[in-house]
Amino acid sequence: MPASGLIPIYNTSQKLLKNNVALVGDAATQVKAVSFGGIIPGLLAAEALAKGIDKYEDNCSPVLKELKLNLLMRVIMDKLGVKDYNDIISIISEGKAKQVLEEEDRDFPSKFIFKLIKSEPRLWKYGLKVIW
Ligand SMILES: Cc1cc2nc3c(=O)[nH]c(=O)nc-3n(C[C@H](O)[C@H](O)[C@H](O)COP(=O)(O)OP(=O)(O)OC[C@H]3O[C@@H](n4cnc5c(N)ncnc54)[C@H](O)[C@@H]3O)c2cc1C
C-alpha cells in the first residue's frame, strides 16, 4: 500500500536543545537532503543524546556536518537536468567511481565525496554548476 508524508529537510538554524528538552530525528530536521532519509541520522542523534543531554549538541556535530554536506549536494542536484543525470550515470557506470560508491558508506558523504571526484574528474563539472 503506498504511503506518503511530510519530510522535514535539515535546517541549519534548527535548535536542538531548550532548557531540559531535546529534539531528535524529524522533529530536529535531521533528515538528509539528498535522499530524504531520516532513519540513520535520527538514530545517530539519539545515540548522541543518550550520552548525556549536556553534551548532546557537541556529540551531534558529526551528524550535523553530514547533513550540511547533504544540503550542498542538494543545491547541486537541483541545478542538474535530465541530461546531466543521464551523463552522470554513464560516467559512474564506467569505472572507478562505481567502485567508490559500492565500497563507501553513503550515509557519510564527507568520507567519500573527494575520493569519488578524484576517481572520476569529469564529475567536477557537475559540482561546479553551483557557481555558474
Ligand atoms: C513515505 C516516507 C518514506 C520514507 N522512507 C525513508 C527511507 O527509505 N529511509 C529513511 O532513512 N527515511 C525514510 N523516511 C524518513 C523517515 O521515515 C523519518 O525520517 C523517520 O521515521 C523519523 O523518525 P522520528 O522518530 O524522528 O519520527 P517519526 O518516525 O515520525 O516518529 C514520531 C512518532 O511520534 C508520534 N507522535 C507525534 N505526535 C505525538 C504526540 N503529541 N504524542 C505522542 N506521540 C506523538 C508519531 O505518531 C510517531 O509515531 C521516509 C519518510 C516518509 C514519509
Side-chain angles (χ1 to χ4, degrees), residues 33-68:
V34 167
S35 63
F36 307 125
I39 293 173
I40 302 284
L43 287 174
L44 290 172
E47 197 172 54
L49 179 57
K51 290 178 183 160
I53 196 165
D54 50 326
K55 291 183 187 150
Y56 175 44
E57 285 170 314
D58 284 346
N59 287 331
C60 216
S61 62
V63 183
L64 304 187
K65 186 176 93 178
E66 301 299 335
L67 291 173
K68 277 182 198 155

Side-chain angles (χ1 to χ4, degrees), residues 3-7 24-27 31 36-40:
S4 64
L6 292 176
I7 295 189
V24 176
D26 277 18
V31 178
F36 307 125
I39 293 173
I40 302 284

Side-chain angles (χ1 to χ4, degrees), residues 72-89 92 122-132:
L72 175 64
M73 289 162 72
R74 171 50 61 190
V75 170
I76 295 169
M77 288 166 74
D78 287 347
K79 292 235 172 194
L80 303 180
V82 174
K83 185 180 178 324
D84 295 320
Y85 279 109
N86 286 335
D87 291 347
I88 289 171
I89 288 169
I92 285 176
R122 282 178 291 172
L123 293 173
W124 269 112
K125 178 175 118 184
Y126 303 98
L128 292 173
K129 282 213 172 196
V130 167
I131 305 169
W132 73 80

Side-chain angles (χ1 to χ4, degrees), residues 7-24:
I7 295 189
I9 298 173
Y10 178 57
N11 176 352
T12 53
S13 311
Q14 179 65 52
K15 281 202 175 306
L16 298 183
L17 277 178
K18 190 169 180 186
N19 302 325
N20 220 18
V21 175
L23 295 181
V24 176

